[in-house]
Amino acid sequence: MPTPKKISALAAVAVLGLGGLAATAAPATAAPAGPERVRISCTPQNVDGYTGQTQCTNLGTVSGYRVRVTCRRVSNGTLFTIYGAWRVAGWSVAVCSTTGASTVWSVGSDY
């Protein structure tokens, strides 16, 4: 086990080593002037265990979004993915099963 002196010496070397790397790194460039980038905000939801939906706002230059639902077959546990319709407003919806054969495993958004 290293003694306290060895530990502090190792820490100093590590700090100096990181400082040397930071000093040689290229300086960060400023973001280009103009409008700020808009962050897309999506709300994926598991509606009832069989249906997934999402709605997105702040699309900016993005032309649309859709829901991506991973479903799980009840009979054997296999997973498969389904997608809702592309939307520019409102909810994109996808249904795993209307008979209870598959349930929602996860819900996400594509854009």
Side-chain angles (χ1 to χ4, degrees):
M1 174 173 248
T3 63
K5 283 185 179 181
K6 287 182 182 177
I7 291 173
S8 61
L10 289 173
V13 169
V15 169
L16 289 175
L18 292 176
L21 289 175
T24 60
T29 58
E36 291 184 32
R37 292 184 66 183
V38 178
R39 294 195 179 233
I40 297 173
S41 175
C42 296
T43 308
Q45 295 178 347
N46 180 343
V47 178
D48 58 6
Y50 304 103
T51 305
Q53 66 181 14
T54 195
Q55 182 176 31
C56 299
T57 58
N58 297 330
L59 295 179
T61 59
V62 173
S63 60
Y65 57 89
R66 66 181 177 178
V67 68
R68 179 186 65 252
V69 181
T70 302
C71 305
R72 181 180 168 272
R73 283 190 182 89
V74 174
S75 62
N76 59 11
T78 59
L79 301 177
F80 61 95
T81 303
I82 59 172
Y83 300 89
W86 285 100
R87 303 292 306 251
V88 294
W91 293 96
S92 175
V93 180
V95 179
C96 290
S97 173
T98 57
T99 63
S102 299
T103 59
V104 172
W105 183 263
S106 67
V107 182
S109 305
D110 286 347
Y111 46 87

